[in-house]
Amino acid sequence: MSTTAPPSARPDSHDGRTSHDGPGSHDGRDGHDGRDGHDGRDGHPLRRATDRDTGPDPAHPRPMRRAGDVVVTRRSVSLVVPARNEARNIPWVFEQIPRCVDEVILVDGSSSDATVPMARHCLPTVRSVAQRGPGKGNALRTGFAAATGEYIVMIDADGSMWPGEIPHFLHFLDHGYDFVKGSRCIGGGGSLDLTRVRSLGNRALLTVANRLYDARLTDLCYGYCAFRRSFLDALDLRSTGFEIEAEMIAHALRSGLRIAEVPSLELPRRSGRSHLHAVADGRRVLRTLITERPGARSSATAPAEEQR
């Protein structure tokens, strides 16, 4: 499949921020200052002259691994794509999916157009599942339940998220993080579709989330995320609408998962109208952040337990 960047995409940036120092940090203290075989200019490793193994053919020595060189095991990846009447956008999205994705799950929300046939035409191996109940939250939960990969990536079907960024998310999962979210507000990220109302709402909700959950996130209302499937139960997802994205982050923070943010560029929807309602969905996100904050559930259930 083609992974050519869309014309509007910016050059890739690899300065993914994290909620705390961890395996993704490269500030010079972890040995990447040029003294351990890195030249300090382009970050490419340099072999020492003695790092050679004669092997069976002394004329063609093979590079030796150091004891500290860790080989990352290849993990299976499921891509969940919720869609409703996105037949015109599916071809662009599917042709951008990188080869690191092992299975693509299209969650169809009772589309009245050719969304499902178009998906099968573009990618014969796609798995199409019917959405259980209305709303994006139900669609994502249906897709997550059907996913078989060790890593799950969620992406919109309208072309606003470039699938070519998926390897950046997987990089942090491979290096110890449990939940990785895209951010339009760090270096290398941005948005070509964010209206003034949505921008103000996102900043206000982000401030609430950081205060309630003692976090330092840079973006909230953006649903480009990846996580380990083994933590699906810990995320304990129940939302039915767009607020599921905030619920995922809230539960990840509350559960103590290791979270990383990576830069992402939001593109304009390629065609059709968005199903998002800024004011109504913003209220649902705010309600979710408040009701799911640490300690809120236990205090709310205490009176009910006392009456038993």
Side-chain angles (χ1 to χ4, degrees):
M1 299 179 187
S2 172
T3 58
T4 304
S8 54
R10 299 178 181 176
D12 294 338
S13 173
H14 298 279
D15 63 345
R17 296 188 181 181
T18 59
S19 58
H20 57 280
D21 291 338
S25 176
H26 299 294
D27 57 359
R29 295 173 294 180
D30 59 351
H32 293 268
D33 57 358
R35 293 175 297 191
D36 69 337
H38 288 68
D39 62 9
R41 294 189 298 273
D42 58 7
H44 292 164
L46 296 175
R47 294 282 181 185
R48 293 191 293 245
T50 56
D51 286 351
R52 295 290 167 184
D53 176 18
T54 57
D57 185 1
H60 298 86
R62 302 174 304 188
M64 292 178 59
R65 289 191 178 276
R66 301 190 188 97
D69 289 345
V70 178
V71 179
V72 178
T73 304
R74 173 73 165 84
R75 306 289 184 177
S76 56
V77 180
S78 296
L79 179 62
V80 175
V81 187
R84 183 184 179 193
N85 297 329
E86 300 287 2
R88 289 183 292 176
N89 298 323
I90 287 291
W92 184 88
V93 174
F94 276 27
E95 74 178 5
Q96 306 293 325
I97 297 175
R99 294 183 179 181
C100 59
V101 174
D102 298 287
E103 72 170 354
V104 178
I105 300 174
L106 178 79
V107 186
D108 179 49
S110 301
S111 297
S112 58
D113 66 0
T115 292
V116 175
M118 180 62 73
R120 290 173 177 164
H121 172 76
C122 296
L123 184 65
T125 59
V126 67
R127 291 179 56 198
S128 176
V129 296
Q131 180 175 331
R132 298 180 301 201
K136 185 176 183 179
N138 275 317
L140 286 173
R141 286 160 52 200
T142 301
F144 296 160
T148 62
E150 296 170 89
Y151 295 161
I152 297 178
V153 184
M154 50 188 274
I155 194 172
D156 290 347
D158 60 4
S160 62
M161 301 169 183
W162 182 42
E165 293 178 350
I166 291 176
H168 303 171
F169 290 73
L170 302 183
H171 170 81
F172 282 88
L173 292 178
D174 281 339
H175 288 80
Y177 289 90
D178 309 313
F179 188 97
V180 184
K181 58 184 295 295
S183 173
R184 300 162 292 183
C185 305
I186 57 179
S191 176
L192 303 178
D193 192 47
L194 199 60
T195 64
R196 181 175 179 81
V197 172
R198 287 178 55 207
S199 178
L200 292 174
N202 183 57
R203 276 189 279 177
L205 292 169
L206 175 66
T207 301
V208 172
N210 283 335
R211 289 288 298 272
L212 291 179
Y213 296 86
D214 191 24
R216 291 180 294 173
L217 301 176
T218 64
D219 201 353
L220 181 68
C221 301
Y222 187 54
Y224 202 165
C225 302
F227 58 93
R228 297 175 183 270
R229 186 165 62 92
S230 58
F231 287 106
L232 188 56
D233 289 340
L235 292 176
D236 188 25
L237 303 175
R238 301 181 304 279
S239 295
T240 60
F242 281 94
E243 72 276 8
I244 192 172
E245 298 164 358
E247 182 185 48
M248 293 179 70
I249 297 170
H251 287 189
L253 289 168
R254 196 177 65 188
S255 300
L257 301 188
R258 293 162 294 186
I259 302 175
E261 288 186 307
V262 298
S264 179
L265 176 64
E266 182 184 31
L267 304 172
R269 164 182 272 273
R270 298 190 66 81
S271 66
R273 297 182 59 183
S274 173
H275 305 296
L276 176 69
H277 302 284
V279 177
D281 289 319
R283 289 175 179 170
R284 296 180 67 154
V285 169
L286 178 60
R287 187 185 311 119
T288 298
L289 293 174
I290 294 174
T291 57
E292 300 297 326
R293 70 189 186 278
R297 183 178 302 179
S298 59
S299 60
T301 57
E305 294 177 352
E306 292 174 359
Q307 293 174 2
R308 293 179 179 178

